Structure formats: C-alpha cells, structure tokens
C-alpha cells in the first residue's frame, strides 16, 4: 500500500499522522463510552440546579406541562429527559442508547459523540484509500489467495464508512433542527411536543441551534 511504501522510504509523517488518528479515535471511543451522558440526579440535586432549568424554558412549550416523576427510577424528569432501561437511569436531553458504545447519547456526551464519528469517518476514508492502493487486480486464483485479506478489509471498511457517514449526516441534521433522535422518532408520544403549537418548539434557527449545541 501507499502507506507501507512511504514507511519503507523513511517518509514517516503520513504513517505517524494515520497512527495518531487511529489512536485518537480509540481514545474518543472510550471517553464517550465511559462518561456520564447526563444522568438525571436525585431530587435534591435537581433543586440545586433549578435556576439553570428555568433559563432553558422555551416559551412556545405550554406552561401546563410539568416535570413528571419517572416510573422506573423515581426521579423528577426534566423536559427532554427519558429513562433508558438498558442504563437504568433517566438521561437529560436523551438522544438514543447506542449499542456501538454501550452507553446512552445524551446532553453531556452528544457533542463528543459527533466529534468521535467525524474522526472515525476520516480514519475509515483514509484506511479505505490505503487498502485500495495495495490492490492490483488480476484474474487469477493465485492473486486472490495473496490479496484476499486486503480485499476483505477494503470491503469491510466500505461498509463501516457508509454506516458512519449516514449516522453522522442524520445527527448533524437533527442537531441543526435542535431535536433528538428520540423526539424525531416518537414525536406523537411526547407530551411537550404533542401539545405544543409548533412542530418543534426548540428550533431557534440552524446557526443558533449549531452554536448552542457545540459551543
């Protein structure tokens, strides 16, 4: 492959950058997997953060929608929170439970999850290019025996690249609308959306939505 040829010639800059990118994606994976996604804490701690909650109230949401008590963990759920039965916790600004990272994606780790997907996509695209550069197709059994592992690696990288790309695009679209995967999929079942005058009461325009999410 191109990367191997560079390494053999002593041109180590690109191989080093690639290895660092892979290492960065692995570290991001563990960070997103192990961090608190925004678990709703006990009632006493919720009261302590009451002023923060009030600053996030959206005027288009009907005032008669009150915080309800979760039937599983018995904490008072803030708006946009949902109980995850796999994590056994209520999660603030719940997006979804990701089996890929074995953790919920919520208020605290959602921005880092997007960064992780972006880095992973760069690694996969570069890895696909590296694998493709090592393939020289010939119609012979001997060629297939020597290149089967590299060919399978390339096909696997293509599949994962498509999955990560679609996932990243869908998340960026939802973020630009200031909605979550759960809200998008279950709009008709969520009280604060079902009773709202607007289809999405949290939408404040693409630029402001992106700014508030990432910054």
């Amino acid at each position: 492959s191109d990367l191997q040829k560079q390494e053999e010639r002593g041109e180590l800059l690109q191989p080093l950058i690639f290895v660092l990118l892979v290492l960065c994606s692995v570290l991001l994976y563990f960070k997103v997997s192990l961090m608190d996604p925004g678990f709703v804490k006990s009632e006493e701690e919720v009261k302590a953060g009451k002023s923060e909650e009030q600053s996030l109230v959206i005027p288009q949401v009907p005032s008669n929608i009150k915080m309800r008590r979760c039937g599983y963990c018995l904490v008072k759920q803030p708006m946009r929170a949902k109980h995850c039965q796999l994590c056994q916790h209520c999660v603030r600004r719940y997006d979804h439970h990701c089996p890929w990272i074995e953790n919920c994606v919520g208020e605290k780790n959602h921005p880092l999850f997007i960064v992780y997907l972006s880095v992973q996509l760069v690694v996969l695209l570069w890895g696909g290019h590296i694998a493709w550069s090592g393939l020289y197709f010939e119609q012979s059994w001997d060629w297939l025996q020597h290149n089967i592992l590299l060919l399978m690696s390339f096909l696997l990288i293509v599949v994962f690249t498509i999955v990560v790309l679609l996932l990243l695009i869908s998340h960026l679209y939802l973020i630009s609308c200031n909605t979550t995967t759960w809200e998008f999929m279950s709009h008709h079942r969520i009280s604060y959306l079902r009773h709202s005058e607007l289809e999405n009461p949290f939408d404040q325009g693409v630029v402001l939505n992106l700014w508030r999410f990432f910054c």
Side-chain angles (χ1 to χ4, degrees):
S1 68
D2 287 347
L3 210 63
Q4 187 179 0
K5 289 174 184 175
Q6 289 174 354
E7 190 262 333
E8 288 172 353
R9 291 197 301 265
E11 300 170 3
L12 300 178
L13 181 60
Q14 285 196 33
L16 184 61
I17 292 172
F18 181 74
V19 170
L20 289 174
L21 267 176
V22 173
L23 182 61
C24 181
S25 73
V26 172
L27 293 175
L28 280 169
Y29 172 82
F30 283 110
K31 176 66 175 174
V32 176
S33 299
L34 299 174
M35 73 182 293
D36 175 3
F39 294 133
V40 179
K41 298 175 183 177
S42 65
E43 200 170 339
E44 292 76 24
E45 290 173 292
V46 170
K47 285 178 181 176
K50 190 176 179 182
S51 58
E52 181 187 352
E53 290 288 339
Q54 289 173 341
S55 69
L56 296 174
V57 171
I58 308 297
Q60 292 89 339
V61 178
S63 58
N64 60 342
I65 307 277
K66 304 297 182 184
M67 289 174 66
R68 69 184 187 87
R69 192 172 291 280
C70 175
Y72 296 97
C73 54
L74 302 178
V75 298
K76 281 192 175 181
Q77 281 187 339
M79 193 176 288
R80 311 191 82 178
K82 182 183 181 295
H83 183 85
C84 175
Q85 297 198 31
L86 294 171
C87 291
Q88 295 296 310
H89 284 285
C90 286
V91 180
R92 292 176 180 271
R93 202 180 183 278
Y94 175 86
D95 189 87
H96 70 290
H97 183 90
C98 181
W100 196 339
I101 63 172
E102 273 301 314
N103 194 12
C104 281
V105 176
E107 185 178 74
K108 289 187 177 179
N109 67 346
H110 199 171
L112 202 61
F113 180 72
I114 300 300
V115 174
Y116 163 66
L117 287 179
S118 303
V119 173
Q120 193 67 55
L121 183 61
V122 172
V123 170
L124 286 166
L125 288 170
W126 197 351
H129 170 73
I130 292 167
W132 180 259
S133 70
L135 291 170
Y136 301 93
F137 294 98
E138 296 177 9
Q139 293 184 348
S140 68
W141 176 248
D142 185 57
W143 177 89
L144 187 62
Q145 281 184 313
H146 283 90
N147 291 274
I148 186 67
L149 187 62
L150 192 58
L151 185 60
M152 288 177 65
S153 298
F154 174 75
L155 294 174
L156 194 63
I157 288 171
V158 169
V159 171
F160 277 115
T161 301
I162 293 170
V163 171
V164 172
L165 180 62
L166 292 175
L167 193 59
L168 182 60
I169 289 172
S170 65
H171 272 276
L172 288 175
Y173 169 74
L174 293 174
I175 291 163
S176 70
C177 300
N178 197 359
T179 189
T180 63
T181 303
W182 173 57
E183 290 171 341
F184 182 78
M185 301 294 290
S186 307
H187 189 279
H188 60 287
R189 295 193 290 127
I190 301 172
S191 58
Y192 59 80
L193 295 179
R194 194 171 66 245
H195 297 118
S196 173
E197 296 176 2
L198 301 177
E199 186 176 350
N200 179 11
F202 304 104
D203 187 6
Q204 296 180 300
V206 175
V207 175
L208 193 55
N209 290 339
L210 291 171
W211 174 263
R212 290 196 167 180
F213 181 85
F214 287 107
C215 306

